[in-house]
Amino acid sequence: AADLQTAVGSLGAEIEALRRQLQGAEEARRAADRALDRLHTRHDLLGRLREEGAGYGSGVRTVLHAGRTGGPLKGILGTVASLLAVPPHLEKAIETALGGALQNVIAERWNDASAAIDYLKQGRGGRATFLPLDRLSVLPPIPAPRRAGLLGNALDLVTYDPQVAPAMQQLLNRVWVAEDLPAARAALDTLGGGEERRLAHVGGHRDDHP
């Protein structure tokens, strides 16, 4: 009888431990569900903001809206910002290096960009800067040297669709990214003259070098 009571007590303790584990797992599941809901909400919000062109100039928003499927404009691929994927820790550096070019509209052809310009003029829809892929003149890249504090050529640190490669190359293949401002300035001080290059560091400052 004593052995039976001991066994029953042991089973009871095991059942209680399992109950606590189950309760903990249920709480973790509920927390994960809440986190997933927040992520879905954020994803939907970012999708709406991108679709509506929040933060863009009026001309850019007009072109993006007219360039949607079924719209009057053709060959409008999107803005540089929407077609460029940047690692989170480099967002400030790339944003600083590109500046207003983030709002440049990439078009498949010159004729598409020309039609968009006419559309803006006719409707007084504002202004936009276009990058027609068939008319871009891309200079050769300048590889970043291997030295302390330099992360590399900006073009190699981001991702984009191969279709828009000429636009990204024109904007970023002569930009180097440094870890901080001292590293950027040290690079500029030691590299000397030559081809034009730009240095941006992860904190957001940009230095130009002729």
Side-chain angles (χ1 to χ4, degrees), residues 5-65:
Q5 289 179 348
T6 300
V8 170
S10 177
L11 287 174
E14 184 176 351
I15 290 172
E16 179 60 23
L18 290 173
R19 186 190 66 77
R20 288 195 297 269
Q21 290 180 15
L22 178 61
Q23 182 179 2
E26 286 292 332
E27 292 175 354
R29 182 188 62 79
R30 288 192 293 269
D33 286 342
R34 291 193 296 270
L36 182 60
D37 288 341
R38 289 194 297 270
L39 288 174
H40 279 312
T41 300
R42 178 169 174 78
H43 180 270
D44 291 343
L45 174 61
L46 291 175
R48 289 196 303 272
L49 291 176
R50 174 172 292 186
E51 189 72 16
E52 296 165 1
Y56 294 142
S58 60
V60 175
R61 292 198 305 271
T62 298
V63 168
L64 294 178
H65 182 78

Side-chain angles (χ1 to χ4, degrees), residues 48-155:
R48 289 196 303 272
L49 291 176
R50 174 172 292 186
E51 189 72 16
E52 296 165 1
Y56 294 142
S58 60
V60 175
R61 292 198 305 271
T62 298
V63 168
L64 294 178
H65 182 78
R68 295 175 185 170
T69 301
L73 297 180
K74 307 301 179 186
I76 302 300
L77 302 179
T79 62
V80 170
S82 68
L83 297 170
L84 186 65
V86 182
H89 67 290
L90 298 180
E91 286 180 351
K92 192 66 176 179
I94 300 301
E95 178 184 350
T96 301
L98 290 174
L102 284 166
Q103 294 196 36
N104 288 1
V105 178
I106 300 177
E108 291 183 6
R109 294 170 295 276
W110 170 258
N111 289 341
D112 299 325
S114 180
I117 293 172
D118 290 341
Y119 182 83
L120 288 174
K121 288 180 178 178
Q122 292 169 7
R124 297 183 179 180
R127 296 176 178 272
T129 300
F130 294 88
L131 296 173
L133 295 175
D134 65 342
R135 292 293 184 90
L136 296 180
S137 179
V138 180
L139 295 173
I142 304 179
R146 295 181 179 274
R147 58 174 292 124
L150 279 188
L151 302 181
N153 186 294
L155 189 69

